[in-house]
Amino acid sequence: MTYGYIIAKFSSKSLQDNHIRDTIFLIQPRRRPITGENPMPLGSNKILESGRPLIYEVSNFDSLGVGTPQIRRGDALRTLVTSLSGFQKEALVASCRSGKTWRMVSDEGKYLNGYDAAPPPLSFLTVGMVASYMNEITALAQRDGVEIRHLKLTLDNYYTMTGSMQKRTMIGGAEPVELQVEIDCDLEGAALNQFLMNAVHASPLNGLMRGEHHSLFKLSRNGKEIAPLKVGQLDADLLPDPADAVQKAKAGEIGENLLIHLGQTTKKNVQGGTEKAASSLSEHQDRRLNIAAVATLRADGMKEIRQQLYSPHGKEWLFLSEEAEVDGGKARAPDAASYISAGIGFCFMTQFGRLVPMLGLDLPEYQIIQDTHFSLGGASGGTGKAGEADPVETHVFLTTNESDDVAREMLDLSEQTCFLHAFCRTDLKTKLKTSLRDVQSLTA
């Protein structure tokens, strides 16, 4: 075994403390909040009722009136996310570079009184991250003339949720990433370790893992723009309300099933982990989450990614991923950046959904339009540089009978408790572990 550390950022508790200080208490529950004692799923199972695949390409995004951002670095992605029912969400992710748009859905399990009809939000970022790492490793090998005979990546992401929702001290956090690379290639020892470190740094997602990227927001309540209170305000015009744009999206040609349920994740002990029903709705929390993914390459170049949810304990899913034609793939499945962008949007939307039952709020409809900006990969895009990214930009559209001040606090609390906005604003390090395997032992 060879161990190495890729230092991109360092976690900062003081950042979390500063983020929640001077909190004001505006939200007063009008209905009895739902706590961790309610075992019934929230809302209806619209994902199952629709009868549609969980992921497919959309053919008419340009006609939906949502628009697309200008490319600043290498790619710009616009993600429209709408709430379906309970914690079920639907997203359209459009890449300006490739011209492709993917429709994806997300749900939560029993830990949030969900139906478990689709993967949870954090799964999508983990899948996108491991796909991006595989892109850079294989591209760097091709550039440097390194023959890879076998490659399997295992990625573990860890997050935390601590504090009290009623006291407004609840906050999401992100912990260092663990990446294990099982490889049979021409390199070994220090040369292999350096090769893999270079590949990880080359990932566009590395841009969100280096430095502190505080997300930026615009806020609309019932069609009227209001200024955010605590979160960073985006210096741009508020985008038009997307209304029913998601419902107007049309499916393109549907081929192979791109997302399949495999069963329950094998249990493992996670320090601070949970599996109790509705645990994520408890008023006071001190829990640790662990989402993992195992990625391999099929003979036809498609990535097969098995996602496991260890804490809170949940289902195992098989995702497929492939880059677009412009990046050397065949675009038969979502690319890494699309999965990453969907994950951030889904996770943020979940936090609004948690506020409704936990604080007894009125929020019948809510949507976001999110823009993410990534550089091309250092190896896959030929830049020869570490990956870069801009802060995430999100336009929030709330339909509610609550006041403007309560709408502002809903935005603040949702950003504060979002694991993936915490991922963006937190310094992180990645622990890399390599395992050299020969062909005989792999096929035995």
Side-chain angles (χ1 to χ4, degrees), residues 306-443:
R306 299 172 68 102
Q307 169 265 305
Q308 295 101 14
L309 186 59
Y310 290 114
S311 174
H313 187 251
K315 289 182 176 180
E316 180 175 6
W317 298 86
L318 177 65
F319 289 75
L320 298 183
S321 180
E322 186 175 48
E323 297 304 297
E325 293 95 332
V326 68
D327 293 309
K330 298 179 181 178
R332 294 170 294 175
D335 58 289
S338 291
Y339 277 129
I340 291 166
S341 299
I344 297 171
F346 280 145
C347 187
F348 183 52
M349 286 281 287
T350 289
Q351 308 317 313
F352 282 100
R354 287 204 315 144
L355 293 178
V356 174
M358 293 183 75
L359 297 174
L361 296 175
D362 174 72
L363 190 60
E365 296 179 11
Y366 51 106
Q367 298 187 86
I368 64 169
I369 298 176
Q370 170 194 279
D371 290 344
T372 44
H373 295 267
F374 297 104
S375 68
L376 299 180
S380 63
T383 70
K385 301 178 180 178
E388 299 177 340
D390 287 347
V392 178
E393 302 173 0
T394 308
H395 300 248
V396 179
F397 303 89
L398 307 181
T399 300
T400 176
N401 288 326
E402 310 291 352
S403 68
D404 286 356
D405 284 340
V406 171
R408 291 184 177 99
E409 192 175 13
M410 282 195 278
L411 170 57
D412 290 337
L413 288 173
S414 295
E415 190 277 340
Q416 179 175 302
T417 55
C418 178
F419 299 110
L420 297 187
H421 283 293
F423 178 93
C424 297
R425 67 174 181 260
T426 305
D427 289 333
L428 297 172
K429 67 178 182 179
T430 298
K431 180 180 179 181
L432 174 67
K433 180 167 68 174
T434 61
S435 175
L436 290 175
R437 303 289 297 272
D438 59 50
V439 175
Q440 281 190 333
S441 65
L442 287 171
T443 57

Side-chain angles (χ1 to χ4, degrees), residues 47-68:
I47 292 176
L48 180 64
E49 293 167 2
S50 74
R52 293 183 286 174
L54 302 179
I55 296 178
Y56 57 78
E57 187 177 355
V58 170
S59 62
N60 66 328
F61 186 82
D62 290 343
S63 68
L64 300 180
V66 179
T68 53

Side-chain angles (χ1 to χ4, degrees), residues 168-402:
R168 310 304 192 263
T169 59
M170 188 171 288
I171 186 167
E175 293 187 349
V177 176
E178 296 180 359
L179 175 65
Q180 179 174 330
V181 181
E182 182 182 289
I183 189 169
D184 174 33
C185 69
D186 298 337
L187 301 175
E188 60 183 17
L192 174 60
N193 209 40
Q194 187 61 54
F195 169 83
L196 294 173
M197 286 182 177
N198 291 341
V200 169
H201 280 301
S203 166
L205 184 61
N206 186 55
L208 287 181
M209 295 177 64
R210 290 171 28 210
E212 297 175 3
H213 296 268
H214 292 269
S215 304
L216 303 171
F217 299 88
K218 301 291 284 189
L219 177 60
S220 169
R221 171 186 170 269
N222 299 339
K224 182 187 74 173
E225 180 178 354
I226 57 177
L229 181 63
K230 291 170 57 182
V231 299
Q233 182 166 200
L234 176 62
D235 184 16
D237 292 335
L238 178 71
L239 293 173
D241 191 319
D244 59 351
V246 170
Q247 287 71 39
K248 294 178 181 178
K250 296 179 180 179
E253 182 178 350
I254 296 178
E256 184 174 1
N257 196 340
L258 304 177
L259 177 56
I260 302 169
H261 172 224
L262 298 177
Q264 288 296 112
T265 300
T266 301
K267 289 187 177 182
K268 78 172 186 180
N269 183 42
V270 178
Q271 184 177 1
T274 61
E275 60 176 291
K276 181 181 176 182
S279 58
S280 299
L281 290 173
S282 299
E283 193 285 318
H284 188 279
Q285 298 180 24
D286 184 8
R287 58 191 177 94
R288 189 164 177 255
L289 294 79
N290 177 201
I291 297 87
V294 179
T296 55
L297 276 173
R298 292 194 328 202
D300 64 354
M302 187 85 84
K303 301 177 194 70
E304 288 191 339
I305 303 172
R306 299 172 68 102
Q307 169 265 305
Q308 295 101 14
L309 186 59
Y310 290 114
S311 174
H313 187 251
K315 289 182 176 180
E316 180 175 6
W317 298 86
L318 177 65
F319 289 75
L320 298 183
S321 180
E322 186 175 48
E323 297 304 297
E325 293 95 332
V326 68
D327 293 309
K330 298 179 181 178
R332 294 170 294 175
D335 58 289
S338 291
Y339 277 129
I340 291 166
S341 299
I344 297 171
F346 280 145
C347 187
F348 183 52
M349 286 281 287
T350 289
Q351 308 317 313
F352 282 100
R354 287 204 315 144
L355 293 178
V356 174
M358 293 183 75
L359 297 174
L361 296 175
D362 174 72
L363 190 60
E365 296 179 11
Y366 51 106
Q367 298 187 86
I368 64 169
I369 298 176
Q370 170 194 279
D371 290 344
T372 44
H373 295 267
F374 297 104
S375 68
L376 299 180
S380 63
T383 70
K385 301 178 180 178
E388 299 177 340
D390 287 347
V392 178
E393 302 173 0
T394 308
H395 300 248
V396 179
F397 303 89
L398 307 181
T399 300
T400 176
N401 288 326
E402 310 291 352

